Amino acid sequence: MRMRRLRRSESLRALVRETVLDPGDLIYPLFLCPGKGVRREVGSMPGVFNLSVDEAVREAEEAAKLGVGGLLLFGLPESKDEQGTGAWDENGIVQQGLRALKKSEASKKLVVIADVCLCEYTSHGHCGVIVEGREGWEVDNDPTLDLLARTAVSLAKAGADVVAPSDMMDGRVAAIRRALDKASLAQTPILSYASKFASAFYGPFREAADSAPQFGDRKSYQMDGANLREAMREIDLDLAEGADMILMKPAMPYLDVVRAARERVDVPIGAYQVSGEYSMLQAAIEKGWLDKNRAILESLVGMRRAGADFIVTYFAKEASQLLA
Ligand code: PBG
């Protein structure tokens, strides 16, 4: 047997290629900020910007032209407080963005997903309500559920096609599903970040979204990176609570989790190539140590091969251009 026979030309290789990447499988995260005409590059993420709503609409239109599948919206509010009230403010930054996007042509082609979390809106930077606890503080699970549910309803009302809770509180999918149904939003799907690990690779995002915790870390609510079986339990619970799709995050250091999830459940699965994965590739690319186009596509194909149906990636536009 000679395995090389089928590798002799690009047309042969294309014929026997097992995994395909399509721009429609890619979801492009956007960071919305107040103002007009604002396009502020994130220091640790070259090529990624904080965008005012008008600029975000332009960016969305470009993404739609390239065939990108969807957007994932995050917000940098005007001001923050203990509870994170900006998250469910009818005039909150993401709510404004959703209404503007809904009026644009782009939204007919893109699935507009709104991240549901409090950390961008709380003064302490944690993903839930803070009470006194073991280390002097603790994130209180159950009072947080109410706030997340309110946020999800507000985002869906403003026009989100999908809501995506990323907070990792127990029971949040059920709470959000109940609240959506009660608000006549039974048709709004939930994409839950079912297995989200407490990761160093979120570092650059916390600069992009101005959401770094002001004390402590997120290890009491996000998962320990060593645990695969626990990730499967998180997935089972989220699906039992009513999640329509699930997201695995980060992607590259956790491709075994994506594969295990794929073999376990039949719902659509996404992988999130997080900020640190982007920055690390981008840094090596800028230094000339990696070939940009090949490195981007290879990293994304790996996630599809592991079993992800779709991928959240800051390279969505570039990758779509390369695939055109
Ligand atoms: C909010 C949230 C985070 C990310 C997505 N949603 C940050 C965090 O949990 O600290 C990280 C995304 C990235 O790094 O690209 N909870």
Side-chain angles (χ1 to χ4, degrees):
M1 185 60 213
R2 292 184 185 273
M3 295 302 284
R4 290 178 53 190
R5 279 183 204 126
L6 297 180
R7 295 178 196 149
R8 287 190 71 212
S9 68
E10 180 46 33
S11 45
L12 268 171
R13 290 191 293 271
L15 186 73
V16 301
R17 192 157 291 141
E18 299 173 28
T19 308
V20 287
L21 192 61
D22 185 88
D25 304 328
L26 304 178
I27 295 169
Y28 186 36
L30 295 181
F31 298 99
L32 308 184
C33 69
K36 243 194 144 138
V38 182
R39 213 182 151 75
R40 194 169 51 232
E41 192 163 32
V42 179
S44 54
M45 299 180 76
V48 173
F49 300 83
N50 290 341
L51 302 167
S52 51
V53 168
D54 53 327
E55 288 289 325
V57 170
R58 282 179 37 190
E59 193 74 15
E61 275 158 4
E62 271 184 43
K65 268 196 209 113
L66 291 164
V68 169
L71 304 175
L72 177 59
L73 304 185
F74 297 97
L76 291 92
E78 201 98 49
S79 64
K80 305 184 190 236
D81 55 38
E82 275 285 308
Q83 295 236 307
T85 58
W88 62 86
D89 181 351
E90 201 188 317
N91 265 318
I93 184 68
V94 175
Q95 285 82 348
Q96 288 177 38
L98 283 164
R99 283 192 288 269
L101 280 165
K102 278 289 129 183
K103 283 192 216 133
S104 75
E105 278 300 301
S107 71
K108 299 201 178 92
K109 296 197 187 142
L110 296 162
V111 179
V112 183
I113 308 171
D115 186 85
V116 177
C117 198
L118 302 179
C119 61
E120 297 130 59
Y121 304 91
T122 51
S123 43
H124 45 75
H126 279 287
C127 305
V129 176
I130 298 287
V131 291
E132 272 188 42
R134 273 194 81 200
E135 327 247 329
W137 64 278
E138 200 163 40
V139 173
D140 200 357
N141 196 89
D142 296 2
T144 303
L145 300 181
D146 236 12
L147 309 185
L148 293 168
R150 236 193 270 182
T151 302
V153 168
S154 158
L155 293 166
K157 275 193 181 150
D161 296 317
V162 177
V163 291
S166 66
D167 52 281
M168 289 302 277
M169 296 304 126
D170 289 320
R172 93 275 207 201
V173 175
I176 290 172
R177 183 71 273 159
R178 212 174 302 126
L180 288 172
D181 291 355
K182 222 171 112 193
S184 307
L185 294 161
Q187 294 300 325
T188 302
I190 299 174
L191 165 62
S192 79
Y193 290 65
S195 99
K196 174 170 177 177
F197 293 92
S199 172
F201 291 93
Y202 306 148
F205 173 95
R206 293 178 187 170
E207 182 193 344
D210 186 26
S211 66
Q214 298 303 301
F215 48 84
D217 55 38
R218 303 209 203 287
K219 287 181 185 162
S220 69
Y221 42 106
Q222 298 180 353
M223 287 178 44
D224 187 307
N227 295 353
L228 174 65
R229 292 192 301 263
E230 187 188 350
M232 298 302 110
R233 295 184 66 204
E234 284 282 3
I235 289 168
D236 291 348
L237 280 169
D238 280 14
L239 293 179
E241 288 178 28
D244 300 278
M245 306 180 272
I246 52 173
L247 201 54
M248 312 286 120
K249 159 184 189 189
M252 204 148 72
Y254 296 88
L255 289 179
D256 58 321
V257 182
V258 177
R259 167 51 50 191
R262 173 75 296 154
E263 282 166 10
R264 187 181 187 90
V265 300
D266 292 325
V267 295
I269 292 179
Y272 195 144
Q273 182 178 50
V274 299
S275 56
E277 299 178 61
Y278 173 87
S279 300
M280 157 171 105
L281 284 166
Q282 205 57 308
I285 288 163
E286 280 186 2
K287 282 201 166 244
W289 292 348
L290 285 176
D291 179 83
K292 177 172 187 168
N293 300 351
R294 293 182 56 204
I296 292 174
L297 293 181
E298 189 175 334
S299 69
L300 298 173
V301 166
M303 291 161 204
R304 291 271 296 120
R305 192 189 60 242
D309 298 300
F310 54 90
I311 302 167
V312 181
T313 174
Y314 302 96
F315 286 123
K317 272 192 351 182
E318 271 121 324
S320 299
Q321 250 152 359
L322 293 173
L323 293 168

